[in-house]
Structures are given as structure tokens and as C-alpha cells.
Amino acid sequence: MSDVAAEPAPQQRPDDIKAVPVKHPLRWVMAVLVAVLAADAVWSAASNPRFQWGIFGDFFFDSRIFHGLQITLELTVLAMAIGILLGIVLAVMRLSPNPLISGGASFYVWIFRGTPVLVQILLWNYIGALYPEISLGVPFGGPDLVSVSANSLITPFVAGMLALGLNEGAYMAEIVRAGILSVDEGQGEASQALGMTRLQTMRRIVLPQAMRVIVPPTGNETISMLKTSSLVSVIALADLTYSAQLIYSTNYKTIQLLLVISVWYLIFTTILSVGQYYLERRFGRGSMRGQALTPLQRLRLTVFPRHEGGGAL
Amino acid sequence: MSTPMVLAEGVHKRFGRLEVLRGISLEVQPGQVMCMLGPSGSGKSTFLRCINHLEKIEAGRLSVDGELVGYRQEGDRLHELREADVVRKRAEIGMVFQRFNLFPHMTALQNVCEAPVQVRGVPREQARERGAELLARVGLGHRLSAYPSQLSGGQQQRVAIARALAMDPKLMLFDEPTSALDPELVGEVLDVMRGLAADGMTMIVVSHEIGFAREVADTMVFIDEGLVVESGPPEQVISAPQHERTRAFLSKVL
Ligand SMILES: Nc1ncnc2c1ncn2[C@@H]1O[C@H](COP(=O)(O)OP(=O)(O)OP(=O)(O)O)[C@@H](O)[C@H]1O
Ligand SMILES: [Mg+2]
């Protein structure tokens, strides 16, 4: 290899550039303005005696509020679980080549998306009027195997959970379907060519890739569900909102209690947003060459610029 | 003479009103390599997909290793195969696509292990060992845990070949395996395929790589408008084509 031309000689690395950064005087003016306005808002709320912050503090950790919070969280989790499972089943049904199966799923979505969820909650609560006995047995009025009275099975909690979950299923079906359709057709083809069944292909190849499209709107749905669940106060189910209503109907501290539950809702929507962010990162796996830094890592880099984010790249 | 690995007799396939295959007849013996060329839209991909049960044929007979594709014969009646049977037969045929179609959410090794574990029930540990071996064989023993997006096109296609080999196929179908690759990456994929052919794998390769065909193929077929226009040893088809259409096509790709 002696007759090969000499490699280009490495150049001397010049010194790092040291330049004077561009100044942004207007940005500073805006920042000061925003800070002043925010401070004024806090001051006006803190110094206004009509807010009665002492009462806010008294009720923030009230055991009835806590119990309501627990009901709200349980409702949210269970309704979303029903919604997601139902959504997957409905989405797969909707993509079926059998028109009866896909038609059935479309019909479900039409009904549950086309009527107000508040009405659905009320209807589930009054289901006992339509079907006093709920039974499992032979179809078309054949003999029953098990039978229970509707009022003991469909408590207000169950009615709320079913109404919210079944309604959510209709929305989740559309979200999951969009996710499945976003996956390249070649993926299913490659998987089938390897001898995987349609079910295996869906479970192992298509759904995991659809997740990237499914997770963000599902996070929004969960946050939305946390707040929508407050509608169950119409069936006298003591969730966070209804618990507050019960308290202020006797002591008339209406505004303070509404502020208490607003802060609780905010706390949990914030937690959910953070969870959503990390879930999205997880399902972005393999789709990017390197992952963007988390806000925490970015903050650490800003504060300790020498640290290079602990070699996270 | 032994049972041909692939035997096609007057295979027809229609998409709606469009007749894509209009009577393909050909034969591939075990251990042979067939190269297939033809203009875009002539039905090459469709024919490969028929062999792999991804499309159903409407007329003619198509069999792989002596068994009909898509149907089961009882007396003189044909019955459509159930999904379970189709899936079992597909698992014995490897397929490599123009656009690789690797699973992007899995590493190279996971891509290779997926089907043996899911379809054949091979224990995970054993599948990983075998997968690492296969990846080493295609020259990627050092990239086991890379995701497809971190690999070059040529490397991705080699993973795709290893993934197909993991099912121990008796027949490999290649659908333009190098036409999505940068010119300097074509060679590494062809090298792997050359190795396979030398090991006695039966292969059908749709490709316009004339040099590769000349060197590796036992037979070459030229397909146009859903029909086999010309077939024979590559040397003969390339150097002394009998048909005007073959000549016209070759003058464009050579
Ligand atoms: N699923 C389908 N539905 C309708 N038409 C199809 C379908 N698949 C293929 N075709 C049509 O069949 C014809 C043959 O397609 P095919 O993909 O087999 O051609 P090809 O020879 O592989 O071409 P290329 O070299 O461009 O890959 C084309 O006209 C194509 O549009
Ligand atoms: Mg093609």
C-alpha cells in the first residue's frame, strides 16, 4: 500500500470561538413585566380577607375531602381501564373484514359518542327501572342461571364507573384505530411472512408500534377523565366535587371549598402530565437515534454546564 | 427426478379487473437459485407473495415442496386452507423485502428471535444463542443490541436475512433486496446471498443485479405483463435473448 497518496494531514484545531452574545433588551422588559403582574396577582389574593385562606387550610386536609379524592381517583383509574380495554377490542373489531363485526363496533361508537355522558350516567343509575333483575342465562327469555337485583349490583359507584368507562371506550376505539392504521403495512406483512398469526402480529408487532400514536391522546383522555368524573355528583356519589358540595351546603364556605378541590384536581393533573411525558419517552424507543434529554437533565446541564448530563448521550 | 421446490403451472391472479398474473409456469429444483427480472408492474412481487400465501391464486396450480399453496386437495375437490395451516406453511418459507421491514421497536437480536420464540416455541435462551450466531454469519455479530434506526440500509437488510434464516426455511424469496440501497452497500448484501446459495439454499431472487444473476443463478426468467417471456441459463438469457421484449428490457438495465 506504499503507492497510495498520503492521507490529508490533520489540521491544527483553532481556538474555541469567543463571541459577544446578542443582547435582547426587549426580552428583559417583558420578563420584568410578567414578574410584576404575577407578584401583584399573588399579593392581591393573599391580602384579600374575603378569600379566608385560613378556612382553605382547614379543609384542604379534611377527611371528607380525602375520602372524596379517593373515590375520584378510583373512578378515574377503573373507568380508564375499562375504556382502554374496550377501545382496543372495538378498534380491532372495526378493522375486521367481517362487516357484521366491524358494523357492531361502529354502532357502539355511534351510540356512546353521540349521547351526553351526563345522560349516560343518569341512565345507568336508573337501570333498575328497566331491568329490576339482572341475570345471566339462556338468551331470548330462557331460564336464568344467576340473578341479582339491579339496585344491589348497580350502586352509584358502579353506575358512574360503567357510564364513564363505556363512554370512554368509544373514544379510545377511535384513538387505538388511528394508532393501528399509523403502522406501516410492511410490518404486518413481514410478521405474517415469518409465520406469525394475525393475533400474534397485532399483539407483538402492530400494537407496540401503535403505542407511540396512542399514548399521547390517552394521556389527555386520562386527565380529562379525572375532571369529567366530577359529573357523578348528579347521582349523589361522594367524589371530590360532591364531597365539597356536601360540606359547603351546611357551612356556606362555597368559594373556599371550590378552591380546595381545584388545587387537588390541579395536583393530580400535574402528576398525570409528568407520567405521560415519561410514558411517551418509553414508547418512543427505537424511533429516534438518541433520545432528547428530560427537563430534569436539561436543568442539571444549565446549572452545571460542565457535567455533560452524566454522559446521557 | 426429485419433487421440485416450487412448481407453477398456469398461475393466474387478478386484482379486481386487473389481470396481474396471466399464466405463469416455472419450476425451481431444490438447491437451485432462480433470478427473476422484468419491468415494473409485471407481477414479480405478486408472484412471490402468492408463493408465500400472502395472496390467493385464482387459476392454475402452485405448489411448494409438493404441497399445494393455499388449498388442500381431497379427491378432485379443492378446499381452502385454514389460517393455522397457512401460517404453518408460511413459517417454512423465508421472505426478504425491498424495504427491509425490520421491527423498529426491537433490537437486531430481538428481531431475529421473535418468530422462533413466538411461532415455534423455542426457549428464549436458545433462540438468543442461535440468533447471535446468525447475526455473526451475516457479519453483524457486534451489533446485536442496535435498533434498526441505528443501522445502515445494508446492515438492516442483512438483519432481515438473518431473521428469515432463523426459521430454518426450505425456500428463500428475495424481492428486490438491494434496490433500496446506496450503491456502495449493495455488495455486502449480495455477498451474504452468495454465501447462502453456496450453502445450497433454494432461492428465488427478484433483482436487476445482472452480474449477481450471471454468477449465482442456475436459471433466469424474464417476466412481462404477467407471463414468463423467456427462461433459461442466465448466460443464454442475457447474451442471446430470443425475444424482442427481453432484448429491449436488457438494453435498459445493462
Ligand atoms: N393489493 C393490490 N391491489 C391492487 N392492485 C395490486 C395490488 N398489488 C399489486 N397490484 C398491481 O399489480 C401489478 C403488479 O404488481 P407487482 O407489485 O407484482 O409488480 P412488480 O413486478 O413487483 O413491479 P416492481 O418492479 O415495480 O416492484 C401492478 O400494476 C400493481 O399496481
Ligand atoms: Mg415489486
Side-chain angles (χ1 to χ4, degrees), chain B residues 75-95:
Chain B
D76 45 277
R77 289 201 63 129
L78 288 184
H79 298 255
E80 286 188 4
L81 287 182
R82 282 169 310 146
E83 196 197 359
D85 297 321
V86 169
V87 161
R88 198 163 33 73
K89 293 195 173 186
R90 253 187 218 143
E92 300 176 338
I93 302 172
M95 192 157 184

Side-chain angles (χ1 to χ4, degrees), chain A residues 184 186-187 189-200 203-205 208-209 285-289, chain B residues 49 52 54 83 87 90-91 93 97 99 101-106 114-115 118-119 147 149-150 163 167:
Chain A
D184 182 47
Q187 292 291 309
E189 200 147 281
S191 152
Q192 290 195 312
L194 284 166
M196 292 169 77
T197 62
R198 251 181 291 177
L199 204 67
Q200 283 171 327
R203 198 168 52 82
R204 301 279 312 172
I205 308 299
Q209 291 182 59
R285 226 175 6 160
S287 65
M288 293 167 266
R289 284 182 178 234
Chain B
R49 292 167 53 81
N52 206 6
L54 290 167
E83 196 197 359
V87 161
R90 253 187 218 143
I93 302 172
F97 303 87
R99 285 168 49 247
N101 296 348
L102 288 183
F103 306 135
H105 57 304
M106 299 182 182
E114 181 67 12
Q118 298 296 325
V119 177
Y147 284 99
S149 63
Q150 299 165 326
R163 177 175 71 175
M167 292 299 281

Side-chain angles (χ1 to χ4, degrees), chain B residues 44-46 98 175-176 206:
Chain B
K44 307 176 300 285
S45 300
T46 305
Q98 182 174 0
D175 192 357
E176 306 201 33
V206 172

Side-chain angles (χ1 to χ4, degrees), chain B residues 150-167:
Chain B
Q150 299 165 326
L151 297 172
S152 74
Q155 292 174 328
Q156 290 190 51
Q157 193 61 298
R158 286 185 281 149
V159 174
I161 294 175
R163 177 175 71 175
L165 291 178
M167 292 299 281

Side-chain angles (χ1 to χ4, degrees), chain A residues 79 112 117 120-122 124 158-168:
Chain A
F112 281 84
V117 66
Q120 291 175 29
I121 292 173
L122 288 167
W124 276 104
V158 173
M161 179 186 77
L162 280 178
L164 292 170
L166 297 183
N167 180 258
E168 186 58 36

